[in-house]
Amino acid sequence: MKPNSGTLVINIMNGGKAEAYEGVYQCTARNERGAAISNNIVIRPSRSPLWTKEKLEPNQVREGDSLVLHCRPPVGLPPPIIFWMDNAFQRLPQSERVSQGLNGDLYFSNVQPEDTREDYICYARFNHTQTIQQKQPISVKVFSMDSLNDTIAANLSDTDIYGAKPVTERPPILLTPTGTTSNKVELRGNVLLLECIAAGLPTPVIRWIKEGGELPANRTLFENFKKTLKIIDVSEADSGNYKCIARNILGSTHHVISVTVKAAPYWITAPRNLVLSPGEDGTLICRANGNPKPSISWLANGVPIAIAPEDPSRKVDGDTIIFSAVQERSSAVYQCNASNEYGYLLANAFVNVLAEPPRILTPANKLYQVILDSPALIDCAYFGSPKPEIEWFKGVKGSILRGNEYVFHDNGTLEIPVAQKDSTGTYTCVARNELGKIQNEVQLEVKDPTMIIKQPEYKVIQRYGHVSFECIIKHDSTLIPTVIWLKDNDELPDDERFLVGKDNLTIMNVTDKDDGTYTCIVNTTLDSVSASAVLTVVAAPPTPAIIYARPNPPFDLELTGQLERSIELSWIPGDENNSPITSFVIEYEDGLHEPGVWHYQTEVPGSQTTVQLKLSPYVNYSFRVIAVNEIGRSQPSEPSEQYLTKSANPDENPSNVQGIGSEPDNLVITWESLKGFQSNGPGLQYKVSWRQKDVDDEWTSVVVANVSKYIVSGTPTFVPYEIKVQALNDLGYAPEPSEVIGHSGEDLPMVAPGNVQVHVINSTLAKVHWDPVPLKSVRGHLQGYKVYYWKVQSLSRRSKRHIEKKILTFRGNKTFGMLPGLEPYSSYKLNVRVVNGKGEGPASPDKVFKTPEGVPSSPSFLKITNPTLDSLTLEWGSPTHPNGVLISYILKFQPINNTHELGPLVEIRIPANESSLILKNLNYSTRYKFYFNAQTSVGSGSQITEEAVTIMDEGKEDWKKEIVNGSRSFFVLKGLTPGTAYKVRVGAEGLSGFRSSEDVFETGPAMASRQVDIATQGWFIGLMCAVALLILILLIVCFIRRNKGGKYPVKEKEDAHADPEIQPMKEDDGTFGEYSDAEDHKPLKKGSRTPSDRTVKKEDSDDSLVDYGEGVNGQFNEDGSFIGQYSGKKEKEPAEGNESSEAPSPVNAMNSFV
């Protein structure tokens, strides 16, 4: 036993057998106050026996039959891990058809020709002894039907009937377990494993159910292609009948396993230590449960309480010991033992009867320093029996501290949440009980915060210039600040150009690589502040000067002073080309491992022409030199002569060693292999070592060839491993490598997040909370949580809809998240899943929540139909998204006059179940603007607008008519008044009679134009003068012609008003005039030849009503009455296909056309 310790050391490294120490051990610790005992400790030596030799006959199986290859490993302690491999140490592939059972046997539901092989090998790995035992290889030969038929045919005559039966499909039968029922007992808290493996063709599919109940959602896993049912952390509620069903297309079979969950004792209330003062009362409670119910027994100082010395203050009542009026002699250590057939619990609890005056453990006059406006915590650690009461005072004779500005903790600590300057001073802690009183004084100082009063500013500097950043600080005079400058959150480059002053940073000869963010950090012992600024480097302005160029390459390279690990290289520089050489770069080539590839070796200042180079063993070196100036790099020099170094042990080990599992039961160890010259000699290999972290295991090692990966199989899921990789060659090992920590493979998380809660914030936003999954159950690197949520239905519409699940991912160990973009007044479901590197865990139970009502969207449409003189019909569609229960529609409307001025607004509330409305008592020929929206209990939604016009009183305005060629399908109306409603009617007359249809339309608003008084314009005055002169000349010409006997005006008028039925031939071209029906109601016109410019010229002899009436505005109506408002028309030839009508301003607000 170690001195001054209770540790017992058993060392068999220097001889002795482990079996000699096999047994049950118990530790007892005793002093004058009592004795405590430990649990029983069982020591058993590990065993890894060899496989018993046996003669294995080859297995000859017909294709499609089932097969079981038995492993039957030797019994070891602890039991071995079983796996099947081939001669190449590769895992045998497993599937729904071929899989390994819990007992280690290899089961074939049906064999196939590809299963034929002679190296089915069962391995048993004994982890504790780090040994692996191998069973003799098992041979399997599968006979296919074709090969059997060929064999039979070769042995039978032509007259014999031969032919093996083809592969027949078979219904499932169970290979394990056998029979129809079996029993299984498992202990509470353990993992329950149930297995069913079936034979059949096609390969059966296994399904598990629990009779009379459901499989636990968060604790159930299916393994081995669902052949194994795994329930973790079983409890008594998991007892029952579990049925496995094997099914293929030919039928099914099943097996029922009756599971009984027993329980070793577990604590309900473990006894707790008691510290009592003389005369006080107390109790020790020891309550445990189990299946069967455990029995409780008490011991005092390791002796059964029935035979322990009597204590009048003690009374045992089943699982409770009651103490009354204890005395100092009542101090003892009590043990509670709870036992049943599956185990026991043992707990120690001391009863310490003390009579101690108060003691304060915090050092006297301890100094506490805090920053202004930050919390201050002042300690007063104490001890005493009975438990002392603590009071705080400020100053030696100050009053007791009370009030909301102080927080008093149970451990005696005084907290000042926001320390101010007046909080500075002496604080006195007083501890008292019935045996005495003691006090202690401590000091509190409140310091001013550190501030940067002038921060560094953004700078733009030209290349090769100087720049300075300021960082002026203000701090408490009693604190000593330290200023640190960073570039891009890293240390400043080790460059003499960077000058750090007391309150600034200066950079000399700025280059492009100085671009970045510079941060000033000020630290004191109590606080820290920082500020940053960005430096941008731009090109300097061009300066015409001497032409600079890269230097010429060095020449005349020479090797001298050859040693095993070093050599001296010298050279002669080439021409600088007007720019001084700043440095020389030396490169090398390894002609042995990488011929033709040049590597960087070192760099020396431009003033140096020799260098001592360090060499590596087993490298055939050649060197070359490159000169560098401000312009760039020269071409490389010619290579030097070659120099081959001797071999040696490796100097270094592989880098970037990692351990990451690719499967739940393996560990993939990878590393970056050494490059050729790093091997230092031939025969490069690696020694890979690993052991499980925090487990007292020996290192397991293997030597592998020059590769960069090794896979360790059969590892527990996601446990840490210590890993190291050491290089070696034919001459020996590299130095001892450092250890890295890796993890075996991840598996899908076992449990779902619990206690999922949803808090609906508003109609479109909710917040979801969940309890984090224990890291042990994550079984991998926790990456975060995923929330799946989807809309189940709208509460205002019961129609089915496609469910679209949405996913939100919350990184890290977050336990809440926000769900935006929800639809109001809807029912949603969500669940939460934990995510690791392998994937997602099981989903939590679906959580249902509902969003409240919101305001609706605008109505889907608003149509205005059936206009009359004083009414309009409104039709509308309900909102696409009602977002709640519609309570009404709101309609507002107001008239609009010709100048687009709005009249009074009228509002109408319409029941929600209406979809149309007839508005009456409106003004005729009036435009109205309508505003329409829906309303829920939350409020009004967005509105939709529309405009419409009531029709005019048809008795107020005459119809205007135009005759249109029957082959045309359109007609252009011109001269309409802007902002006016018109009714248009189109009629057609044919053999079947006269038919017509009509519609109402409105012209657009008038465009504003700039009004100019042309009477004051010079061009207009000149034009009028020219017209007057021309008229004077024409009058003179006419007067002369008349005097020479030309036509008389009376004769012209007679010709113009001759009988319209008999039109004379025109004098100039001899053509007849056009015939027009009297119902056309148009002025007759004479036949004419239309010029190419599409205008109709009047002949000198033409005449019209202009000579007798009121110019071109005269017209006779159908009844012969004269209308002053006539619009003159020009008719073009039909080939032109274009007719028009010009209308004047209407008498009313609407004109009519026919």
Side-chain angles (χ1 to χ4, degrees):
M1 191 165 66
K2 288 185 177 180
N4 301 319
S5 170
T7 302
L8 178 64
V9 179
I10 300 175
N11 190 347
I12 59 173
M13 300 298 293
N14 298 324
K17 294 184 177 180
E19 289 77 3
Y21 298 97
E22 187 172 3
V24 180
Y25 294 77
Q26 189 174 47
C27 172
T28 301
R30 188 184 308 275
N31 65 9
E32 62 182 7
R33 292 281 184 175
I37 60 176
S38 71
N39 285 314
N40 290 338
I41 302 170
V42 180
I43 295 181
R44 298 179 64 187
S46 61
R47 297 182 179 89
S48 54
L50 297 176
W51 232 295
T52 57
K53 291 187 177 181
E54 56 181 326
K55 185 177 181 181
L56 300 177
E57 297 294 336
N59 291 274
Q60 298 186 0
V61 194
R62 186 176 63 177
E63 179 183 356
D65 287 351
S66 61
L67 175 65
V68 180
L69 299 183
H70 298 289
C71 181
R72 299 190 183 98
V75 178
L77 187 67
I81 297 174
I82 306 301
F83 50 94
W84 289 79
M85 302 178 73
D86 58 16
N87 277 331
F89 298 101
Q90 297 298 316
R91 286 284 186 103
L92 294 176
Q94 298 190 20
S95 62
E96 289 185 343
R97 186 177 64 84
V98 182
S99 60
Q100 177 182 318
L102 295 177
N103 61 355
D105 292 347
L106 191 62
Y107 292 85
F108 295 77
S109 295
N110 51 81
V111 295
Q112 302 296 330
E114 60 265 22
D115 296 329
T116 298
R117 61 191 307 156
E118 297 180 352
D119 56 350
Y120 286 94
I121 305 174
C122 181
Y123 288 86
R125 185 175 68 229
F126 299 89
N127 283 343
H128 199 75
T129 60
Q130 295 292 316
T131 59
I132 296 177
Q133 303 292 350
Q134 172 184 335
K135 187 183 179 74
Q136 291 180 341
I138 302 175
S139 173
V140 174
K141 185 173 183 180
V142 180
F143 293 97
S144 65
M145 293 302 98
D146 293 339
S147 62
L148 284 176
N149 286 335
D150 294 342
T151 303
I152 296 172
N155 295 325
L156 296 177
S157 65
D158 294 339
T159 59
D160 293 329
I161 299 175
Y162 67 95
K165 294 182 179 180
V167 177
T168 58
E169 296 181 337
R170 294 176 287 105
I173 59 171
L174 287 175
L175 298 176
T176 181
T178 59
T180 59
T181 61
S182 59
N183 298 315
K184 173 79 172 182
V185 176
E186 191 56 77
L187 291 183
R188 179 180 185 270
N190 287 357
V191 176
L192 174 64
L193 293 173
L194 303 178
E195 181 181 56
C196 274
I197 301 178
L201 186 67
T203 302
V205 177
I206 304 297
R207 185 169 66 91
W208 291 90
I209 61 173
K210 183 180 181 182
E211 294 182 345
E214 298 289 336
L215 296 175
N218 296 331
R219 297 182 289 112
T220 301
L221 299 172
F222 296 101
E223 297 179 345
N224 197 18
F225 309 98
K226 291 193 175 181
K227 299 175 186 178
T228 302
L229 171 65
K230 182 178 182 179
I231 301 178
I232 61 175
D233 193 22
V234 295
S235 63
E236 289 84 348
D238 295 319
S239 297
N241 293 330
Y242 292 81
K243 178 188 288 187
C244 70
I245 303 170
R247 184 185 303 275
N248 66 9
I249 59 176
L250 298 182
S252 64
T253 186
H254 68 271
H255 183 91
V256 177
I257 305 175
S258 179
V259 174
T260 303
V261 178
K262 299 291 185 178
Y266 55 92
W267 288 119
I268 296 177
T269 304
R272 296 183 179 180
N273 299 327
L274 284 178
V275 177
L276 302 174
S277 299
E280 287 187 335
D281 301 335
T283 57
L284 285 179
I285 300 175
C286 176
R287 289 178 183 156
N289 202 357
N291 186 10
K293 184 75 174 178
S295 61
I296 304 295
S297 61
W298 289 95
L299 297 88
N301 295 327
V303 178
I305 203 163
I307 60 175
E310 291 189 5
D311 183 353
S313 65
R314 178 183 68 209
K315 178 184 177 182
V316 179
D317 184 9
D319 58 7
T320 304
I321 301 180
I322 303 171
F323 297 94
S324 303
V326 297
Q327 301 300 318
E328 289 194 40
R329 65 177 180 274
S330 300
S331 295
V333 180
Y334 290 87
Q335 291 82 35
C336 172
N337 186 307
S339 305
N340 68 9
E341 61 185 284
Y342 296 106
Y344 77 95
L345 295 173
L346 179 68
N348 290 279
F350 65 76
V351 176
N352 196 0
V353 182
L354 290 177
E356 290 286 339
R359 284 184 288 166
I360 294 180
L361 307 179
T362 301
N365 295 315
K366 183 176 181 180
L367 177 62
Y368 294 87
Q369 295 179 328
V370 297
I371 293 295
L372 183 69
D373 294 330
S374 63
L377 296 172
I378 308 173
D379 294 330
C380 181
Y382 63 89
F383 179 76
S385 182
K387 181 180 178 180
E389 294 181 357
I390 303 299
E391 293 177 331
W392 280 95
F393 299 82
K394 185 177 181 184
V396 179
K397 297 182 179 180
S399 58
I400 187 170
L401 297 181
R402 293 188 178 90
N404 294 331
E405 66 261 37
Y406 301 102
V407 178
F408 302 93
H409 295 274
D410 292 338
N411 63 354
T413 298
L414 170 66
E415 179 181 354
I416 305 175
V418 182
Q420 301 296 319
K421 278 292 186 179
D422 58 3
S423 302
T424 300
T426 301
Y427 289 81
T428 303
C429 167
V430 177
R432 59 165 56 90
N433 65 9
E434 60 189 34
L435 299 179
K437 181 182 80 169
I438 191 172
Q439 67 181 35
N440 185 39
E441 295 179 358
V442 294
Q443 307 296 322
L444 174 64
E445 293 181 356
V446 180
K447 307 291 185 179
D448 290 325
T450 304
M451 296 183 293
I452 300 178
I453 58 177
K454 188 168 185 181
Q455 300 183 356
E457 298 177 347
Y458 171 75
K459 296 290 181 68
V460 178
I461 192 69
Q462 292 181 355
R463 193 181 299 133
Y464 311 124
H466 306 327
V467 66
S468 180
F469 292 105
E470 289 186 297
C471 184
I472 301 176
I473 63 173
K474 179 182 178 182
H475 61 91
D476 194 282
S477 59
T478 61
L479 299 177
I480 301 175
T482 57
V483 180
I484 301 173
W485 286 90
L486 301 179
K487 179 182 183 295
D488 296 331
N489 294 324
D490 204 351
E491 294 182 359
L492 291 178
D494 186 12
D495 193 330
E496 59 186 9
R497 297 182 300 109
F498 289 78
L499 306 177
V500 178
K502 178 183 177 182
D503 52 10
N504 61 19
L505 168 66
T506 303
I507 307 174
M508 312 294 291
N509 298 323
V510 173
T511 63
D512 289 339
K513 64 182 180 181
D514 297 329
D515 247 344
T517 301
Y518 291 84
T519 303
C520 166
I521 300 178
V522 184
N523 294 316
T524 69
T525 55
L526 298 180
D527 62 350
S528 176
V529 292
S530 65
S532 300
V534 175
L535 172 64
T536 301
V537 180
V538 297
T543 55
I546 304 172
I547 297 176
Y548 299 98
R550 300 177 182 181
N552 294 342
F555 58 94
D556 199 12
L557 274 64
E558 183 179 2
L559 297 176
T560 57
Q562 289 89 344
L563 298 174
E564 290 186 0
R565 292 294 184 102
S566 67
I567 196 169
E568 185 175 278
L569 173 66
S570 61
W571 62 91
I572 297 175
D575 193 344
E576 296 180 343
N577 292 328
N578 299 317
S579 179
I581 295 176
T582 57
S583 62
F584 291 99
V585 177
I586 292 87
E587 296 180 340
Y588 72 90
E589 175 195 26
D590 181 4
L592 187 62
H593 301 99
E594 295 180 291
V597 179
W598 290 89
H599 302 276
Y600 173 84
Q601 172 85 10
T602 188
E603 187 171 354
V604 298
S607 59
Q608 188 173 329
T609 57
T610 61
V611 63
Q612 193 76 18
L613 301 175
K614 293 183 180 180
L615 306 179
S616 296
Y618 197 53
V619 178
N620 192 13
Y621 282 100
S622 291
F623 299 96
R624 69 183 187 184
V625 183
I626 301 172
V628 182
N629 64 9
E630 293 289 344
I631 308 304
R633 297 159 64 102
S634 71
Q635 291 295 321
S637 67
E638 292 295 326
S640 70
E641 60 180 311
Q642 292 186 335
Y643 177 63
L644 178 62
T645 55
K646 295 181 179 180
S647 301
N649 292 7
D651 292 327
E652 53 188 310
N653 288 300
S655 61
N656 196 22
V657 178
Q658 293 182 338
I660 304 173
S662 61
E663 297 293 338
D665 60 348
N666 74 5
L667 171 67
V668 181
I669 302 174
T670 60
W671 60 89
E672 289 186 8
S673 301
L674 299 181
K675 297 182 180 178
F677 75 92
Q678 294 176 307
S679 65
N680 285 4
L684 178 64
Q685 293 180 297
Y686 300 101
K687 179 183 178 183
V688 184
S689 303
W690 69 92
R691 67 178 178 186
Q692 191 171 334
K693 191 175 184 293
D694 300 328
V695 177
D696 191 14
D697 280 350
E698 296 295 327
W699 287 94
T700 301
S701 301
V702 64
V703 176
V704 299
N706 187 12
V707 295
S708 60
K709 181 171 73 172
Y710 182 77
I711 300 177
V712 181
S713 301
T715 62
T717 301
F718 195 68
V719 296
Y721 277 84
E722 297 175 322
I723 303 167
K724 57 185 179 180
V725 181
Q726 187 177 23
L728 67 149
N729 61 17
D730 291 347
L731 280 77
Y733 285 87
E736 183 67 22
S738 57
E739 301 171 7
V740 298
I741 303 299
H743 285 81
S744 56
E746 300 181 65
D747 204 348
L748 293 178
M750 295 189 296
V751 300
N755 193 24
V756 177
Q757 301 292 331
V758 180
H759 172 58
V760 178
I761 296 176
N762 55 41
S763 60
T764 61
L765 181 65
K767 186 176 185 181
V768 58
H769 294 261
W770 61 86
D771 289 343
V773 173
L775 293 179
K776 184 177 180 181
S777 300
V778 175
R779 300 204 297 179
H781 296 287
L782 175 63
Q783 293 189 352
Y785 293 86
K786 282 188 178 180
V787 177
Y788 286 72
Y789 65 102
W790 61 96
K791 180 180 175 181
V792 179
Q793 66 177 15
S794 173
L795 298 179
S796 59
R797 296 181 179 179
R798 299 299 178 183
S799 59
K800 295 287 186 179
R801 55 168 286 174
H802 172 67
I803 295 179
E804 178 184 357
K805 289 190 176 182
K806 298 182 180 179
I807 305 173
L808 285 178
T809 302
F810 301 94
R811 299 293 180 186
N813 197 21
K814 291 193 69 173
T815 58
F816 67 92
M818 306 299 289
L819 305 182
L822 303 178
E823 294 185 17
Y825 204 55
S826 299
S827 176
Y828 280 85
K829 286 186 179 181
L830 66 78
N831 58 54
V832 186
R833 312 176 191 202
V834 66
V835 183
N836 64 12
K838 190 72 174 178
E840 300 177 8
S844 64
D846 290 349
K847 189 76 176 180
V848 179
F849 67 95
K850 298 178 181 178
T851 54
E853 289 189 73
V855 296
S857 63
S858 61
S860 57
F861 68 87
L862 175 62
K863 293 194 302 184
I864 304 175
T865 59
N866 301 329
T868 66
L869 288 175
D870 62 349
S871 69
L872 293 171
T873 300
L874 280 70
E875 297 177 358
W876 60 87
S878 59
T880 307
H881 301 286
N883 297 337
V885 178
L886 297 182
I887 59 175
S888 64
Y889 291 99
I890 303 298
L891 172 66
K892 300 177 182 178
F893 64 94
Q894 56 190 152
I896 308 174
N897 61 19
N898 288 340
T899 60
H900 293 273
E901 294 177 351
L902 300 176
L905 187 67
V906 179
E907 179 176 329
I908 300 176
R909 184 176 297 271
I910 306 170
N913 57 353
E914 297 291 340
S915 61
S916 64
L917 176 68
I918 299 177
L919 279 179
K920 298 181 178 180
N921 300 323
L922 302 178
N923 297 328
Y924 70 88
S925 188
T926 303
R927 168 171 291 276
Y928 286 89
K929 186 167 186 178
F930 297 90
Y931 312 88
F932 193 68
N933 62 339
Q935 191 175 48
T936 65
S937 60
V938 177
S940 298
S942 55
Q943 64 184 11
I944 183 173
T945 63
E946 191 60 76
E947 294 184 10
V949 182
T950 55
I951 66 174
M952 66 166 285
D953 187 350
E954 296 184 8
K956 301 290 184 178
E957 178 71 20
D958 293 328
W959 288 89
K960 303 292 185 286
K961 300 180 181 179
E962 292 288 349
I963 302 300
V964 181
N965 191 315
S967 63
R968 299 183 57 184
S969 61
F970 69 93
F971 186 78
V972 179
L973 300 178
K974 294 185 177 180
L976 305 182
T977 303
T980 305
Y982 290 89
K983 177 182 285 187
V984 62
R985 178 187 300 158
V986 178
E989 186 173 8
L991 297 177
S992 60
F994 182 81
R995 295 184 180 180
S996 65
S997 64
E998 55 182 55
D999 194 9
V1000 176
F1001 70 92
E1002 182 184 5
T1003 55
M1007 299 297 293
S1009 61
R1010 184 179 178 183
Q1011 300 295 328
V1012 180
D1013 188 1
I1014 61 174
T1016 62
Q1017 302 296 310
W1019 64 268
F1020 180 78
I1021 296 174
L1023 179 63
M1024 293 297 102
C1025 294
V1027 171
L1029 180 61
L1030 181 61
I1031 293 174
L1032 179 60
I1033 295 172
L1034 291 175
L1035 290 175
I1036 294 173
V1037 172
C1038 291
F1039 181 78
I1040 294 173
R1041 288 184 63 189
R1042 289 177 181 270
N1043 290 336
K1044 291 181 177 181
K1047 281 189 175 182
Y1048 296 100
V1050 175
K1051 175 62 177 176
E1052 293 174 355
K1053 293 179 181 179
E1054 290 176 352
D1055 293 338
H1057 299 287
D1059 188 353
E1061 298 295 330
I1062 305 174
Q1063 290 294 328
M1065 181 180 295
K1066 293 183 64 176
E1067 296 177 357
D1068 53 352
D1069 56 6
T1071 60
F1072 289 98
E1074 293 178 349
Y1075 174 80
S1076 176
D1077 196 327
E1079 292 182 358
D1080 286 349
H1081 310 296
K1082 296 182 182 179
L1084 299 175
K1085 69 174 185 179
K1086 299 197 180 265
S1088 63
R1089 180 171 297 154
T1090 303
S1092 60
D1093 61 357
R1094 300 185 182 183
T1095 61
V1096 180
K1097 298 178 61 178
K1098 289 190 174 184
E1099 300 295 330
D1100 293 339
S1101 61
D1102 289 348
D1103 210 342
S1104 69
L1105 291 175
V1106 177
D1107 297 325
Y1108 303 99
E1110 297 181 14
V1112 297
N1113 291 330
Q1115 180 190 357
F1116 288 98
N1117 204 346
E1118 294 179 353
D1119 58 359
S1121 61
F1122 183 77
I1123 300 176
Q1125 297 185 16
Y1126 171 75
S1127 176
K1129 307 175 185 64
K1130 293 182 180 179
E1131 289 190 5
K1132 300 181 180 179
E1133 292 181 1
E1136 297 300 320
N1138 218 354
E1139 298 181 359
S1140 65
S1141 173
E1142 297 179 0
S1145 300
V1147 176
N1148 298 302
M1150 180 181 292
N1151 285 344
S1152 300
F1153 291 88
V1154 176

